[in-house]
Amino acid sequence: MPTADSDVGAGTMRERADESRWKLWLLLGADRRVVAALALLSVFLALVALSQVVGTDLRAAIGSSDPVETLFQGLLTAIITGVTLVVTLSQLVLSQELGALGDQRERMDGAMSFRRSVESVIDSDVTPPDPASFLRSLVAAVGRQAATLQTAAEGSGDERLRSFADDLVADADAVGDDLEASQFGTFEVVFAALNFNYASKIYEARRLRAADATDDAAGALDDLVETLTLFGPAREHVKTLYFQWELIELSRAIAYAAVPALIVSAGMILYGGQTGVVQGSVLGVDSVVWLVSAATTVALVPFVLLLAYILRIVTVAKRTLSIGPLVLRDTVHSGGDENQEA
C-alpha cells in the first residue's frame, strides 16, 4: 500500500494507476481506429486459424447445411440493432443541446460567471476561448502560486511544504506543456487534464494549511485551493464536451460502416452457398475459409468500432467519477491518528 506522500505526489495518471503501460495505451492513448483495426485483424486471423485447428471442411459443410446463412442472418440482425443504438446515442447527445430560450440563457450566464471567476484567479481580463488554452491558463496559475509557496516554504523551513510546492510546480509545467501541444477534438486534451491530479492536491493543500502554516504559506495555500477548485469543474466541462464530440464521431463512424456491413451480410446470405464460384486455396487454406472469414470481419466492423470507442469513454468516466478531494482508488492518506482509505 503506498504512503500518503508517494500517492499524493504521483503526478501522471500512469504513476497513480496500478495498470500496465500497454493496457493504458489500449484503453486510453491509442487511436480508436487503430484499436478497432487490431481487433478486426485478430478476429480474421482467429477465424482462419480456427478452421485449421478444427479441421472441418467448410466447403462440404456449406453444401450439406447452411452455417454461412445462419451466421450472416444473425449478423444482419445485429447490424440493424446497432444502427438503431447509434440513432439513440445521437438523440441523447442532441438532447443536451435542445432547450427553451430561458434555459439557453441560464447556460450562457453560468458559463460567463464561471469565466469571470477564472479570470480573477489567473490575473487576466479575458480567458482563452479554446478548451486546451483555458485549462492551461488555470494550470499556469497553479504553477505561479506554487512558486510563491516555494518562497514561503524556504522562509519557514517546512520540508513537507517545500516538497509539495516543488512537485506542484513540476506537475504544472509538465501538464501545461502537454496542453500547449493539444487541440480539442483529440483525446490529448482530456488525457493531459487527467494527468493533473487536482483532487489529491486539494486534499494535501488543505492538510498543510491546517498544520499551523505561517501567514505567507497560509495565503499561498488558500490561493492554490481556490484555483484547484476551479480546475475541477473546468476539467469536467471539457470532459463532457469531449464525450459529446466522441459520441458524435462514433455515430458517424458506425453509420458509415453499417452500409458495407449490410451489403456483405446480405450478399453472403443470398450467394454464400455458391461455393463453386470460389475455387482453389491460398497458403494451404481453402479460399472459402478466407472469403467467409473476411466477410465476417467486415460485418463485425460496426460492433468493433462501438467497442473501441466505448472502452475509452467508460475508462475516462470511471477515473473521473468524483469531483473535489475524493480519491476513488486504493490509497492511504495520513489524516491525524487514523489512516483513511479512499
Side-chain angles (χ1 to χ4, degrees), residues 108-109 111-121 124 127:
M108 175 62 78
D109 290 344
M112 294 306 298
S113 175
F114 184 77
R115 282 186 173 271
R116 284 190 287 269
S117 298
V118 171
E119 288 161 1
S120 67
V121 301
S124 175
T127 52

Side-chain angles (χ1 to χ4, degrees), residues 47 131 141 214 243 290-291:
L47 289 173
T214 63
F243 279 176
W290 291 107
L291 175 63

Side-chain angles (χ1 to χ4, degrees), residues 6 20 74 116 146 177 189 194 252 278 318:
S6 64
S20 68
R116 284 190 287 269
D177 291 341
V189 175
L194 288 175
R252 187 164 59 182
V278 182
K318 180 182 177 181

Side-chain angles (χ1 to χ4, degrees), residues 204-287:
E204 185 69 3
R206 296 182 71 223
R207 188 167 71 93
L208 292 170
R209 175 67 171 83
D212 299 325
T214 63
D215 291 342
D216 291 342
L221 287 168
D222 288 339
D223 292 340
L224 268 174
V225 170
E226 181 182 3
T227 305
L228 290 169
T229 302
L230 290 172
F231 181 85
R235 189 188 75 174
E236 293 303 302
H237 179 60
V238 171
K239 181 191 76 174
T240 301
L241 292 176
Y242 172 76
F243 279 176
Q244 292 177 332
W245 182 289
E246 196 82 330
L247 287 173
I248 292 171
E249 290 293 315
L250 169 62
S251 299
R252 187 164 59 182
I254 291 181
Y256 290 157
V259 176
L262 285 170
I263 294 174
V264 169
S265 297
M268 292 300 293
I269 293 172
L270 295 173
Y271 310 112
Q274 309 298 321
T275 56
V277 178
V278 182
Q279 298 293 333
S281 63
V282 178
L283 300 177
V285 180
D286 195 323
S287 298

Side-chain angles (χ1 to χ4, degrees), residues 25 158 265 325:
W25 177 84
D158 190 332
S265 297

Side-chain angles (χ1 to χ4, degrees), residues 42-55 285 289-290 293:
S42 300
V43 169
F44 175 73
L45 295 177
L47 289 173
V48 174
L50 188 61
S51 71
Q52 302 306 297
V53 173
V54 175
V285 180
V289 174
W290 291 107
S293 299

